[in-house]
Amino acid sequence: MSPPPELSVVVPMYDEVAVVDRLVDAVVAELTSLGRSFELICVDDGSRDGTGERLEERAATLPVLVPLRLSRNFGKEAAMAAGLAAARGAAVILMDADLQHPPDLLPQMLARWDEGYDVVNAVKQDRGREGLLYGLAARLFNRLVGRAVDADLRRSSDYKLLDRQVVDVLNACEERNRFFRGLVAWLGFSVAEVPFVVAERAGGRTKWSTSQLVRYTISTLVSFSSLPLRAIAWLGFLTTAFALLLSIQTLWNWARGAAVDGFTTTILAILIMGGAILVCLGVIAAYLAAIYDEIKARPLFVVRSPRRSRAREAPTQTIQSSPAPSDSPAPGTSPGGR
Ligand code: UDP
Ligand code: MG
């Protein structure tokens, strides 16, 4: 196996055939001009548009390109985890495939790493173009999760440089419900920031549907904050206090013989309380589901081997997020091995 490169660039890709070539060319040009040794790990997250095939075509003539193909679409978080587990560099850079994370920022990020920082965050100068509702939801989400990890996530992005020691800790994190940005903020280490302006998507379209975003938001909130659970307790306290006051008033009225036949009130009270209890059960169920997911401890992602080397390797091989990258050469890399 060739000696590990100085840098690993990890790019999760899902149906990105429209931008693969531009991304690969831009990153290779940028890093070659800096004269640093590197590998470019493109994680094909179960694309159905030929992204994986295109990556393998390119890798045949471009040895620094390492296509890592997952067995199906596992989602961006799992794709990033797969790339991190396979990366061998002394520093790992994560970026999106759509060139919204400009490769010309790499020299600045590397300069900060050379200064001795362990984590270099590219932070959004502005948030690019996004809808009003989406923007509001994103802000609320970042505020809530940011409070849980005690960091400002409002301008943060997944465009990051991580030193090897940070990557090793991340690889050892076994949680399945991952929120990469939050996890990195939670880890600490010495952090530098480099501002950037979010570009328009270079091609293709965003992969997030509204329902996916809602699910992602809920699972992340659940994995980072117990605020919703505590809110239930507070709701219970408030309701009990209110009920106490109302009972006193009701008894007082009854003692005076002035009790009204409050049919409407009764119906309303039952409906409102019934609704509130069900919502609270829903919140508890979300935590229960998260615990269930963690306890099953299925692998975070499954890497599929390239067809040509099937005879030599197991058909599919699972990688937990835990093993150290050096002793777990990822299957699914270029056919000739590295
Ligand atoms: N992505 C992925 N798996 C998914 C969804 C997205 O690997 O299931 C990748 C996608 O190819 C891109 C990055 O995650 O490189 C960010 O996705 P996108 O640009 O669609 O999100 P946005 O920039 O709109 O937040
Ligand atoms: Mg994007």
Side-chain angles (χ1 to χ4, degrees):
M1 189 189 267
S2 55
E6 188 183 11
L7 306 171
S8 299
V9 179
V10 170
V11 187
M13 293 185 166
Y14 178 48
D15 285 354
E16 299 285 10
V17 79
V19 290
V20 166
D21 285 307
R22 260 180 289 175
L23 185 274
V24 169
D25 293 337
V27 171
V28 169
E30 194 65 50
L31 289 178
T32 312
S33 73
L34 290 175
R36 305 225 185 199
S37 69
F38 68 97
E39 61 180 355
L40 172 56
I41 301 178
C42 291
V43 186
D44 168 30
D45 186 15
S47 305
R48 280 159 307 177
D49 68 346
T51 302
E53 286 74 15
R54 183 67 195 139
L55 285 172
E56 273 169 7
E57 266 169 48
R58 291 295 310 264
T61 53
L62 191 67
V64 288
L65 179 61
V66 181
L68 189 69
R69 301 185 64 182
L70 304 190
S71 61
R72 63 167 171 88
N73 180 245
F74 280 88
K76 185 183 179 183
E77 291 288 335
M80 289 195 291
L84 282 178
R88 300 180 304 145
V92 180
I93 296 149
L94 283 127
M95 65 195 296
D96 280 2
D98 54 10
L99 293 167
Q100 284 190 304
H101 295 162
D104 52 18
L105 206 67
L106 289 172
Q108 281 183 57
M109 294 173 78
L110 287 167
R112 306 311 298 269
W113 178 57
D114 290 338
E115 284 169 27
Y117 288 99
D118 299 314
V119 177
V120 184
N121 286 325
V123 296
K124 297 171 186 167
Q125 204 62 306
D126 71 299
R127 296 190 44 99
R129 261 211 343 233
E130 54 189 17
L132 180 72
L133 217 67
Y134 180 90
L136 273 177
R139 219 163 301 163
L140 181 71
F141 171 80
N142 286 329
R143 169 80 44 94
L144 276 176
V145 177
R147 190 179 291 179
V149 297
D150 197 19
D152 184 5
L153 293 179
R154 265 168 297 168
R155 295 178 306 134
S156 77
S157 70
D158 283 342
Y159 192 9
K160 291 185 192 307
L161 180 149
L162 307 173
D163 185 74
R164 170 50 51 193
Q165 58 172 328
V166 182
V167 176
D168 285 346
V169 181
L170 280 174
N171 284 340
C173 283
E174 300 221 347
E175 65 186 270
R176 264 123 264 278
N177 233 327
R178 280 184 170 233
F179 177 52
F180 175 69
R181 267 182 284 163
L183 213 51
V184 173
W186 177 86
L187 280 180
F189 288 100
S190 57
V191 182
E193 292 192 345
V194 174
F196 79 106
V197 178
V198 182
E200 290 285 309
R201 219 175 200 289
R205 51 187 192 80
T206 179
K207 302 302 167 323
W208 294 97
S209 66
T210 310
S211 67
Q212 263 177 325
L213 269 179
V214 170
R215 241 178 301 145
Y216 182 66
T217 307
I218 293 176
S219 76
T220 306
L221 272 182
V222 164
S223 71
F224 268 98
S225 171
S226 56
L227 187 79
L229 282 180
R230 276 177 286 135
I232 293 181
W234 283 112
L235 191 70
F237 273 126
L238 285 178
T239 319
T240 312
F242 185 64
L244 214 65
L245 289 178
L246 214 64
S247 326
I248 293 171
Q249 191 222 19
T250 310
L251 282 176
W252 175 250
N253 280 344
W254 176 76
R256 286 193 314 158
V260 279
D261 33 58
F263 185 66
T264 320
T265 329
T266 316
I267 289 284
L268 280 181
I270 289 176
L271 288 181
I272 292 173
M273 281 317 295
I277 290 170
L278 283 180
V279 169
C280 294
L281 273 180
V283 172
I284 296 171
Y287 282 86
L288 189 68
I291 295 172
Y292 181 51
D293 268 351
E294 300 290 342
I295 242 152
K296 278 187 292 186
R298 292 198 182 141
L300 209 55
F301 52 83
V302 179
V303 178
R304 108 182 182 207
S305 308
R307 276 201 160 273
R308 266 161 291 177
S309 53
R310 282 260 156 112
R312 281 183 283 116
E313 288 176 276
T316 52
Q317 197 169 336
T318 57
I319 297 189
Q320 302 266 356
S321 54
S322 43
S326 49
D327 50 42
S328 69
T333 53
S334 51
R338 282 175 288 149

